[in-house]
Structures are given as C-alpha cells and as structure tokens.
C-alpha cells in the first residue's frame, strides 16, 4: 500500500489529467473548424450601412469643408433652405464646399416617410443627379403633399403620385419607382417594409445619434451649427467664407490634418521629453 501522501498525489494527478482531457474535448467542440470560420462571416448587432450616408450635391465631392443639411420634404422651412443651398450656395462655392443632404423624417408629418422613401428609390435607380432633380421638384410641389391635401389619400395613392413626379422630373421609370416602394412579401412576416426601408432607418438612426431633432438642421464638418432657413447667399457667405478660406490656406498632410497643428503638437511633445 502506498503512503497516504503518495496516494493523494496520484489521485490529484489523475483528476488533473481527467479534467484537462474534458476541457480539451469541450474546447475543441466549441471551437469552429478553420474551414468553417473562414467560410462564414461574423455578424454582430443590427445592420450597418456599407457606405457613408448622405447625398452629396454634385460639384463639391472633394471639398475639405462639409456642410451637412438635415431636411424634411414635408417642411416648408426645409424647402427654403434647400432652395438657397442647392441653387445659390453650392454653385457659388463649387469644389470648395461639400453640401450633403440627409433625410430627416419628422413624425408629426406622417406622409414624410413616404416622401423620403420615394427620394431614396429615385437615388437607387438614378444616382445623385436624379436624386437632386427629384428633390428639387418635390420641394417645389411640397404643398401638394401637405396635410390638407393628403388627409384622405392612401399610402398607395401617395406612392403613385410620387412615382409620377419622379418620372417627369428625374427621368426614372414610374413602374420602377413603384416596384421599389412595393411591400416586400415574406412568408410569415407582416412588417417587412419596402426596398427603401432599411436605408431610411439608417438615416433616422444617424440623426438620433447626431442629436438632430427638427428640420432644417445643419452641421459643419460634423458639428451641429446655428444657421437659418431664411438666409440668402450673402448671409451664408458670412458664415462659410472664414471656414472655406481657412481650409484653402492651411497646409494639409495626406490624412487631412493641418501641418501647423502637427508641428505645434510635435513641439509640445519635444518640450515634454526635455
């Protein structure tokens, strides 16, 4: 018979080996095979947009200064801001200013969702140029979609009117727009939306994250700023010129950071090391 201490060591060793074996088997069972891991992507959380949101006004795509504009097609103040920015401000600055349109659906205008869905459908079919043609036409005709004029109309009625406007203003086929706006049919699902629903959700989520509440709201290089829908070109210039001039005069590195800023920070770090 082995001494007590040796019996204990033998017992513990056996238990340890058994535990490691069980853990090894469990770990192998839980770990996917290499082939499976490479074959299946990992999805985490809700869907995300694969490209940056927003519709860039043609001409300013490469500008250093970005003016974001959150607009609602059912809002008369949005129409005033849109007209000034698209017809005056954007053309005035050209390549020096990137104007970006964001969809801002305001729930107290129930028809707003359908108006923005139609605009998204037009963009999916015809790109930025078609989008802005349709948006201009819709802003001009927005009173036709105010509460007093749509109160008794169905969702289908609104879609038909919007598809007709898209065809006449942006040159996209009316039936193609209606196909984008048709309900997605999935067996067992009732709230499927249409081909534009997910993109509109992305804009609503981004607006909430950015703190956008009403339209029009503007952001300058990502930060909410105080502007007015009643501004004319000269008032917009008084606000934007200093930023556009600063962006033009700054020496930028390849990452879009002013070199003066880098030199200043480098000098401060050198002083700290000393």
């Amino acid at each position: 018979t082995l001494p007590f201490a040796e019996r204990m060591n033998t017992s513990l060793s056996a238990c340890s080996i058994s535990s490691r074996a069980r853990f090894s088997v469990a770990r192998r069972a839980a770990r996917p095979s290499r082939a499976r891991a490479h074959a299946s992507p990992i999805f985490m959380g809700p869907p995300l947009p694969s490209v940056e949101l927003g519709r860039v006004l043609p001409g300013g795509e490469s500008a250093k200064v970005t003016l974001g504009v959150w607009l609602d097609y059912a809002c008369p103040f949005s129409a005033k801001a849109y007209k000034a920015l698209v017809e005056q401000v954007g053309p005035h600055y050209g390549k020096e200013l990137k104007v970006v349109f964001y969809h801002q659906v305001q729930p107290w205008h129930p028809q707003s969702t359908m108006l923005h869905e139609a605009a998204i459908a037009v963009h999916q079919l015809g790109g930025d140029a078609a989008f802005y043609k349709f948006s201009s036409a819709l802003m001009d005709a927005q009173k036709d979609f105010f509460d007093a004029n749509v109160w008794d109309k169905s969702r289908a009625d609104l879609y038909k009117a919007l598809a007709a406007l898209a065809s006449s203003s942006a040159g996209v086929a009316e039936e193609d727009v209606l196909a984008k706006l048709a309900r997605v049919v999935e067996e067992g699902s009732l709230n499927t939306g249409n081909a534009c629903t997910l993109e509109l959700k992305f804009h609503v989520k981004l607006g909430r994250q950015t703190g956008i509440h009403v339209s029009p709201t503007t952001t300058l290089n990502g930060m909410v700023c105080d502007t007015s829908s009643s501004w004319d070109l000269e008032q917009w210039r008084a606000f934007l010129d200093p930023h556009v001039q600063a962006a033009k005069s700054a020496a930028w590195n390849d990452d879009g950071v002013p070199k003066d800023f880098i030199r200043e920070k480098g000098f401060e770090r050198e002083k700290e090391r000393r």
Side-chain angles (χ1 to χ4, degrees), residues 26-42:
R27 186 170 56 183
R28 286 197 301 271
R31 184 174 58 215
S33 68
R34 186 178 300 274
R36 182 177 177 83
H38 285 288
S40 302
I42 297 175

Side-chain angles (χ1 to χ4, degrees), residues 57-61 63 65-69 71 78-100 132 218-220 225 227-244:
L57 183 66
E61 291 86 352
V65 180
T66 300
L67 180 68
V69 192
L71 301 174
S78 288
K80 290 177 64 177
Y82 175 92
K83 190 176 183 67
L85 291 169
V86 172
E87 296 181 5
Q88 299 180 56
V89 177
H92 171 77
Y93 285 103
K95 296 180 179 179
E96 296 175 347
L97 179 68
K98 181 191 293 185
V99 178
V100 185
Y132 273 100
T218 54
T219 57
L220 185 69
C225 53
T227 59
S228 172
S229 62
S230 63
W231 280 1
D232 58 20
L233 177 59
E234 293 307 310
Q235 290 169 306
W236 278 107
R237 287 191 60 188
F239 171 68
L240 291 169
D241 275 358
H243 301 287
V244 172

Side-chain angles (χ1 to χ4, degrees), residues 12-32:
L12 288 172
S13 178
C15 289
S16 177
I17 292 172
S18 175
S19 296
R20 284 199 299 270
R22 288 196 300 272
F23 177 75
S24 178
V25 171
R27 186 170 56 183
R28 286 197 301 271
R31 184 174 58 215

